[in-house]
């Protein structure tokens, strides 16, 4: 990739995760997905329900 792109992607990921830090882990991941963050389940992990608590 272009120089600095990986660093920019990581910075955006970190900012989104920090912004939603007070949410539950499930909600944090759901909300972060709306910003384009992609989470990959590890082998043996079950996919999460995508529910945002109100």
């Amino acid at each position: 990739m272009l120089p600095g792109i990986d660093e920019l992607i990581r910075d955006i990921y970190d900012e989104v995760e920090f912004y939603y830090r007070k949410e539950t882990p499930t909600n944090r991941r759901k909300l972060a997905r709306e910003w384009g963050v992609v989470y990959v389940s590890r082998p043996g992990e079950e996919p999460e329900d995508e529910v945002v608590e109100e």
Side-chain angles (χ1 to χ4, degrees), residues 7 14 21-22 25 27 29 31 34 38 44 48-49 54:
E7 184 178 344
D14 289 342
R21 71 191 177 280
K22 294 183 181 177
N27 285 343
R29 287 186 289 271
L31 293 166
E34 294 176 9
V38 176
E48 295 181 349
D49 293 334
E54 306 235 3

Side-chain angles (χ1 to χ4, degrees), residues 7-25:
E7 184 178 344
L8 175 62
I9 292 168
R10 183 64 189 182
D11 287 347
I12 293 169
Y13 171 86
D14 289 342
E15 288 288 332
V16 171
E17 285 277 312
F18 182 78
Y19 184 81
Y20 293 120
R21 71 191 177 280
K22 294 183 181 177
E23 297 287 336
T24 64

Side-chain angles (χ1 to χ4, degrees), residues 4 19 26 28 33 36-37 42:
Y19 184 81
T26 300
R28 182 174 52 244
R33 284 184 184 105
V37 175
R42 294 180 178 150

